[in-house]
């Protein structure tokens, strides 16, 4: 075998060992910023476009550009189910892409939006998390097999069992981004991680076991649910509250009050998914140094909810930790 042939074989073997593959990444309109960041992470990722149009009656009029050219290619779609209004048009594309003779199909849905609605506490409750999982489980199989479904920090651990065999869920986490940021802080040796309830502790404590831990809990007093310190000592530490998502932020604020009352030097928060309906993030913004919420030195979120990121920017105490690098790596799995 000649030298050039040997070199070519070695190159092929190295590529195979690294499992590198060219990925064509489609994305919804509101994910354009993070899609650009993902593509910037790797020469192996090329962005593709879709014409997101509507008929006069409001229903989608969609067109996948260069559909013929994606045959035999590894294809991915970056979704954001930020509201029921945008889910249908994205599902239409998600169901269409695997049928275009692609080599494989990956759906990246960083935030699984119905995840907090998984319980049936009485007859008549509708567990919409299960409904969404069933919809995604029926994505058509591509030539390469079942769809790979990438989700970050799903709300309830049992929800991983809601998905059927036609999809292969890959559950990732944003916690490594938080750990990297914490190690950059000037008081990195004085960090304590706090969990607002037992659910957050179950999800994340093994990923953060190098830090001392504080656990809060909610107890019912009459008609109110009060946050109490369950275990751990926050006194003198920079305490970082960790959870998967935030809605109104009420629990985080109550938790912050309790930690401050027990001597925390300062309090910060991290959530993977900053949902913040009705602009509830505004209660955390530092305005003229007034208000107890300023006790949050930092509030870290990821860009899993693009509309929130666009609204907040980097107004203190908020910092956005991008999932782009993690998603780029997941697309190579």
């Amino acid at each position: 075998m000649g030298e050039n042939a040997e070199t070519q074989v070695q190159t092929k073997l190295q590529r195979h060992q690294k499992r590198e593959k060219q990925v064509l990444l489609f994305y919804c309109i509101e994910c354009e910023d993070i899609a650009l960041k993902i593509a910037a992470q790797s020469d192996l990722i090329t962005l593709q476009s879709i014409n997101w149009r509507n008929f006069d009656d409001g229903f989608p009029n969609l067109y996948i550009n260069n559909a013929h050219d994606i045959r035999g290619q590894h294809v991915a779609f970056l979704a954001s189910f930020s509201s029921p209004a945008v889910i249908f048009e994205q599902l239409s594309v998600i169901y269409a892409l695997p049928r275009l003779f692609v080599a494989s199909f990956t759906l990246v849905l960083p935030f699984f939006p119905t995840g907090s609605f998984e319980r049936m506490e009485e007859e008549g409750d509708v567990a919409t998390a299960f409904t969404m999982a069933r919809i995604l489980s029926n994505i058509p199989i591509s030539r390469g097999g079942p769809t790979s479904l990438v989700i970050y920090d799903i709300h309830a651990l049992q929800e991983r069992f809601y998905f059927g065999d036609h999809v292969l869920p890959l559950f990732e986490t944003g916690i490594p981004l938080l750990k990297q940021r914490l190690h950059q802080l000037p008081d990195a040796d004085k960090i304590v991680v706090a969990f607002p309830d037992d659910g957050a502790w179950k999800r994340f404590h093994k990923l953060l076991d190098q830090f001392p831990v504080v656990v809060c809990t909610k107890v019912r007093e009459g008609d109110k649910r009060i946050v109490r310190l369950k275990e751990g000592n926050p006194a003198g530490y920079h305490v970082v509250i960790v959870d998967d998502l935030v809605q109104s932020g009420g629990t985080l604020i109550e938790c912050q009050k309790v930690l401050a009352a027990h001597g925390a030097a300062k309090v910060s928060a991290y959530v993977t998914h900053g949902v913040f309906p009705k602009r509830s993030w505004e209660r955390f913004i530092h305005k003229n140094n007034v208000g107890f919420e300023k006790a949050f030195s930092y509030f870290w979120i990821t860009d899993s909810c693009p509309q929130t990121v666009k609204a907040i920017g980097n107004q203190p105490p908020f910092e956005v930790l991008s999932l782009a690098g993690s998603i780029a790596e997941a697309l190579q799995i």
Side-chain angles (χ1 to χ4, degrees), residues 59-79:
F59 276 83
N61 175 17
L62 309 170
Y63 185 79
I64 298 169
N65 293 306
N66 303 317
H68 190 275
D69 296 336
I70 71 175
R71 291 182 177 182
Q73 304 295 316
H74 298 289
V75 172
F77 182 78
L78 177 61

Side-chain angles (χ1 to χ4, degrees), residues 28-31 52 60 79-91 94 109 111-114 117 132 135 247 275 277-278 304-308:
C28 68
I29 295 172
E30 64 188 58
C31 282
W52 300 94
S80 176
F81 291 176
S82 58
S83 72
V86 300
I87 291 177
F88 177 65
E89 64 180 15
Q90 290 182 62
L91 283 174
I94 290 164
L109 181 63
F111 174 46
F112 186 68
T114 56
F117 303 100
M132 180 62 71
I135 291 172
Q247 297 270 3
V275 185
K278 298 180 180 178
S304 68
C305 298
Q307 289 184 323
T308 298

Side-chain angles (χ1 to χ4, degrees), residues 37 174 177-186 238 240 246 266 268-274 276 281 284-286 296-305 308-323:
K37 291 178 182 177
L177 297 173
L178 170 65
K179 290 166 69 173
Q180 182 181 20
R181 184 67 182 94
L182 292 181
H183 288 310
Q184 296 169 351
L185 297 178
H238 179 183
V240 180
V246 59
K266 54 184 177 180
S268 296
Y270 165 86
V271 295
T272 304
H273 310 298
F276 290 119
W281 51 268
F284 295 96
I285 294 294
H286 293 175
F296 284 88
S297 299
Y298 300 92
F299 199 131
W300 293 289
I301 62 174
T302 76
D303 43 6
S304 68
C305 298
T308 298
V309 171
K310 194 169 184 179
I312 292 177
N314 274 310
Q315 298 183 69
F318 289 101
E319 284 187 10
V320 178
L321 308 177
S322 181
L323 294 172

Side-chain angles (χ1 to χ4, degrees), residues 126-328:
V126 177
T128 51
F130 183 65
T131 304
M132 180 62 71
R134 286 203 292 180
I135 291 172
L136 296 177
S137 296
N138 282 285
I139 297 171
I141 293 175
S142 70
R143 290 178 63 192
T147 293
S148 300
L149 172 60
V150 182
I151 294 176
Y152 282 80
D153 291 318
I154 199 164
H155 181 68
L157 296 177
Q158 70 267 22
E159 290 173 7
R160 65 184 58 212
F161 303 111
Y162 290 2
F163 297 93
D165 293 337
H166 285 179
V167 293
L168 299 174
L170 176 63
F171 296 104
E172 296 283 9
T173 179
I175 294 298
L177 297 173
L178 170 65
K179 290 166 69 173
Q180 182 181 20
R181 184 67 182 94
L182 292 181
H183 288 310
Q184 296 169 351
L185 297 178
D187 56 356
D189 59 339
K190 294 290 289 182
I191 298 290
V192 163
V193 170
F195 300 110
D197 52 39
D198 288 331
W201 178 84
K202 288 177 183 177
R203 280 190 294 273
F204 297 126
H205 79 278
K206 290 183 179 178
L207 299 173
L208 294 161
D209 58 3
Q210 69 270 47
F211 296 101
V213 168
V214 167
V215 181
C216 296
T217 188
K218 294 178 185 176
V219 296
R220 189 172 293 280
E221 288 188 0
D223 294 333
K224 295 182 179 180
R225 298 190 72 183
I226 309 296
V227 175
R228 295 269 178 84
L229 186 66
K230 181 180 178 182
E231 60 181 83
N233 180 18
Y237 286 93
H238 179 183
V239 184
V240 180
I241 306 169
V242 175
D243 209 349
D244 62 315
L245 63 84
V246 59
Q247 297 270 3
S248 69
T251 297
L252 291 178
I253 289 172
E254 292 305 312
C255 194
Q256 176 264 318
K257 290 179 182 178
V258 170
L259 294 168
H262 283 81
K266 54 184 177 180
V267 179
S268 296
Y270 165 86
V271 295
T272 304
H273 310 298
V275 185
F276 290 119
K278 298 180 180 178
R279 298 177 65 87
S280 54
W281 51 268
E282 290 181 338
R283 66 198 303 189
F284 295 96
I285 294 294
H286 293 175
K287 296 178 180 177
N288 301 322
N289 296 329
V290 175
F292 69 83
E293 289 90 347
K294 193 177 186 305
F296 284 88
S297 299
Y298 300 92
F299 199 131
W300 293 289
I301 62 174
T302 76
D303 43 6
S304 68
C305 298
Q307 289 184 323
T308 298
V309 171
K310 194 169 184 179
I312 292 177
N314 274 310
Q315 298 183 69
F318 289 101
E319 284 187 10
V320 178
L321 308 177
S322 181
L323 294 172
S326 178
I327 292 173

